[in-house]
Amino acid sequence: VVAMPSLMLSRPSLVRQTSLARAPARAVTTTARQIMQGKVVSTASSKTAVVMVERKVMHPLYKKTQTKSTKFHVHDEDETAQAGDIVRIGACRPHSKLKRFELIEVCAPSGCAPN
């Protein structure tokens, strides 16, 4: 049992490298921001809008396309969005318990060009 530390030091793969000169340089990476387009459903709360984002999903068995929707609480600092507007939202840091997205732009009521 006493011979264990000497065994670990004799194997170079188990020896820890403490020199900073040998450590590989880390590249700074940025992740793509999740951007979605949807329709404003509600603006009842202050600085918050509820946006419904729809997507088309094919049924796994019947192969029919279905429209599924998800509602997101969006941070709207200037309160520019009105109910019925088509808006673009992007992921951000958490503003509250439910708000994980912020308003990027308000598009024309007819809609924006899709991504």
Side-chain angles (χ1 to χ4, degrees):
V1 177
V2 178
M4 184 67 91
S6 64
L7 175 65
M8 289 177 64
L9 291 177
S10 65
R11 298 173 69 185
S13 63
L14 298 177
V15 176
R16 184 183 212 192
Q17 294 180 356
T18 57
S19 173
L20 294 177
R22 294 182 182 174
R26 293 183 184 248
V28 177
T29 59
T30 58
T31 58
R33 183 173 166 179
Q34 185 179 10
I35 296 175
M36 294 179 281
Q37 180 177 330
K39 184 176 182 180
V40 178
V41 178
S42 171
T43 56
S45 302
S46 65
K47 297 187 179 183
T48 303
V50 180
V51 177
M52 184 171 61
V53 176
E54 293 182 342
R55 66 187 190 281
K56 301 283 186 180
V57 178
M58 185 177 288
H59 191 278
L61 179 62
Y62 300 114
K63 309 301 183 201
K64 181 179 178 180
T65 57
Q66 299 174 330
T67 303
K68 294 195 174 189
S69 62
T70 306
K71 290 183 182 179
F72 295 101
H73 290 253
V74 178
H75 182 69
D76 185 8
E77 184 68 32
D78 301 327
E79 298 185 7
T80 56
Q82 300 295 324
D85 288 347
I86 305 296
V87 295
R88 284 188 196 266
I89 60 174
C92 65
R93 65 178 177 83
H95 285 278
S96 68
K97 179 182 176 182
L98 297 176
K99 290 198 290 187
R100 301 292 191 264
F101 291 87
E102 60 188 2
L103 185 70
I104 295 175
E105 67 174 331
V106 177
C107 302
S110 60
C112 305
N115 288 358

